[in-house]
Amino acid sequence: MIKRQSEALARALARGFPIVAFVGPRQSGKTTLARGLFGDRAYVSLEDPEEREYALRDPRGFLARFPEGAVIDEAQRCPALFSYLQGLVDARRRMGDFILTGSQQFGLRSGISQSLAGRVGLVQLLPFSLTELKDAGKLPDSLDVALCQGGYPPLFDREIPPTLWFPNYVATYVERDVRQLLAVRDLDLFQRFVKMCAARTGQLVNLSALAADCGISQTAAREWLSVLETSYLVMRLPPYFRNFGKRLVKTPKLYFLDVGLAAWLLGIRDAETMNTHAMRGPLFETWVVSELIKQRFNAGQPAELYFWRDNAGHEVDVVFETRSKLQAIEIKSGATFVADWLGAARKWLGLAGEEALPPCIVYGGDAAYDREGARVFGWREIDSMQSVECPR
């Protein structure tokens, strides 16, 4: 089993909270990690119809079966259980008593906020990060292969290619999750919506244009996009909120949280196609942003990443606040450094002034070095950017 970076976080939370909850997309390894770390506890899945019916009919009796605690998989399938868990963990006062997993952020988080506030430590588990794959010797040799494959665990611990795994994953996701959260009658239309979102990864969110391209209302587009977010398939990156004397874009940008899924939805099936595809740049940007999100989630921190763009079109791909200053990151898919890449970063430095750290550039090459006041990182070294300065 590939070691997960969030193991230390999960163990720490289990020492300080009576309940630890693992959330994230389906097939990101939540159950495997929960059972691996807490194998001394009983395991029960609420995907099992009999177990779910028991939990719904007799929550107290269901929980009484686990005097030593338990790992409860897909806990959002029985929201009524959370109120009874509250009373039980309050009475027992044991840390790490119950471990919950869930694939729908909305279902599990709403139950936590309503009934278990202050009692739950949250682990947000996304697919494998670059660091996890590097440490396990599983990182693809080629950037184009890495962009096609993404990070979902089954693609690294099973003998199945992405071209076979992704279509089944999408079909299963639509059937199991969308029907639970939305009254979507035309599943083909929803799948088209998901593909249109993939075509916009790394771009500003324009709900009216997205709705028009899919033949749905803007309200439906907003609801469907929220479902993709609650299922940890996409995220919206907000613009940086501080105004350095310029009018700023206020619309968020859309990113998939797994680049392999986005590539498959775009019809990219191999590294050769990826290398010349018009979406290679946005997909590389998607991959870098998702890696930065994983770094923060694995450390138990909120994402708190932004982008910056003014009304003249000057843009910095990622901005985040550190303990002392602002860090800007430019993302370029080319394998050879080009001096023009520093243009936007210099514009940013001119506006941010002393509040800004030297900018970082992540590119599709291999070397890491300093260049004209910027720190340059090859795609394999993106995890070393953690040492630039930790988020506050």
Side-chain angles (χ1 to χ4, degrees):
M1 185 177 76
I2 294 178
K3 183 177 176 64
R4 305 306 301 262
Q5 287 182 289
S6 56
E7 286 186 15
L9 170 64
R11 294 186 189 279
L13 293 175
R15 293 191 293 268
F17 291 90
I19 299 172
V20 177
F22 291 81
V23 297
R26 289 192 181 276
Q27 297 295 310
S28 64
K30 301 181 301 297
T31 301
T32 300
L33 180 57
R35 298 190 72 177
L37 292 177
F38 305 101
D40 58 329
R41 292 162 179 76
Y43 170 81
V44 59
S45 174
L46 294 184
E47 292 279 68
D48 184 324
E50 292 184 2
E51 294 287 1
R52 185 167 65 251
E53 192 275 336
Y54 187 6
L56 290 168
R57 176 176 50 83
D58 183 11
R60 283 195 178 90
F62 175 84
L63 293 173
R65 299 159 55 201
F66 310 116
E68 302 303 321
V71 175
I72 303 178
D73 209 359
E74 297 298 336
Q76 82 280 348
R77 299 298 300 274
C78 184
L81 203 60
F82 296 136
S83 296
Y84 293 91
L85 266 174
Q86 172 190 339
L88 184 59
V89 299
D90 285 351
R92 301 207 304 208
R93 302 181 65 83
R94 291 201 310 240
M95 297 301 103
D97 200 0
F98 283 90
I99 312 300
L100 311 180
T101 79
S103 300
Q104 293 172 7
Q105 181 179 211
F106 177 78
L108 191 56
R109 281 202 162 184
S110 61
I112 289 171
S113 62
Q114 292 174 22
S115 303
L116 299 173
R119 300 169 178 83
V120 179
L122 197 65
V123 179
Q124 298 183 84
L125 190 68
L126 297 179
F128 288 140
S129 68
L130 174 141
T131 301
E132 290 166 341
L133 293 176
K134 279 173 64 173
D135 291 347
K138 297 279 190 177
L139 183 67
D141 294 331
S142 158
L143 172 58
D144 292 319
V145 172
L147 295 179
C148 285
Q149 192 164 6
Y152 278 99
L155 294 173
F156 294 90
D157 59 21
R158 303 178 192 172
E159 294 295 327
I160 185 170
T163 51
L164 292 180
W165 189 81
F166 278 121
N168 287 280
Y169 180 76
V170 171
T172 301
Y173 161 69
V174 170
E175 289 295 328
R176 298 179 67 178
D177 287 352
V178 174
R179 287 187 183 277
Q180 293 174 22
L181 293 175
L182 283 175
V184 177
R185 296 180 180 178
D186 190 339
L187 292 178
D188 289 337
L189 184 59
F190 184 82
Q191 287 187 333
R192 180 184 177 192
F193 174 80
V194 176
K195 291 181 179 180
M196 294 302 293
C197 286
R200 288 165 168 78
T201 189
Q203 300 179 22
L204 296 177
V205 177
N206 186 330
L207 282 176
S208 60
L210 181 59
D213 288 346
C214 295
I216 59 177
S217 69
Q218 190 169 333
T219 299
R222 183 179 294 105
E223 291 177 350
W224 291 6
L225 187 58
S226 294
V227 169
L228 295 182
E229 287 184 290
T230 60
S231 300
Y232 283 94
L233 293 188
V234 304
M235 58 88 67
R236 279 180 268 197
L237 188 73
Y240 190 63
F241 49 84
R242 293 181 60 179
N243 190 335
F244 294 104
K246 296 284 185 180
R247 289 185 59 192
L248 302 181
V249 169
K250 298 180 180 179
T251 304
K253 292 176 73 173
L254 180 68
Y255 288 98
F256 270 68
L257 285 169
D258 184 79
V259 68
L261 176 59
W264 182 84
L265 289 167
L266 288 168
I268 302 173
R269 301 291 184 260
D270 53 59
E272 290 73 21
T273 303
M274 175 66 74
N275 186 258
T276 58
H277 201 278
M279 285 293 292
R280 186 178 187 270
L283 287 171
F284 180 64
E285 185 177 326
T286 294
W287 178 73
V288 173
V289 170
S290 69
E291 287 297 315
L292 295 172
I293 296 289
K294 290 171 188 176
Q295 288 177 8
R296 284 149 178 76
F297 282 0
N298 289 337
Q301 301 299 314
E304 293 184 342
L305 298 177
Y306 311 89
F307 75 96
W308 175 85
R309 179 188 289 184
D310 66 16
N311 64 339
H314 302 110
E315 179 176 344
V316 173
D317 294 319
V318 177
V319 175
F320 61 87
E321 296 181 347
T322 70
R323 293 187 180 92
S324 58
K325 295 186 178 183
L326 298 169
Q327 179 67 65
I329 300 175
E330 278 285 86
I331 304 168
K332 304 295 181 181
S333 63
T336 303
F337 182 89
V338 178
D340 290 348
W341 290 351
L342 293 168
R346 287 192 179 119
K347 183 69 175 179
W348 162 259
L349 287 174
L351 293 172
E354 294 183 355
E355 296 184 52
L357 291 165
C360 295
I361 294 178
V362 181
Y363 77 120
D366 298 318
Y369 49 86
D370 292 339
R371 178 75 176 266
E372 299 180 38
R375 300 191 65 182
V376 181
F377 296 86
W379 69 276
R380 292 184 182 86
E381 307 305 321
I382 184 175
D383 51 344
S384 65
M385 284 201 304
Q386 297 176 84
S387 62
V388 172
E389 188 170 340
C390 295
R392 62 179 184 174

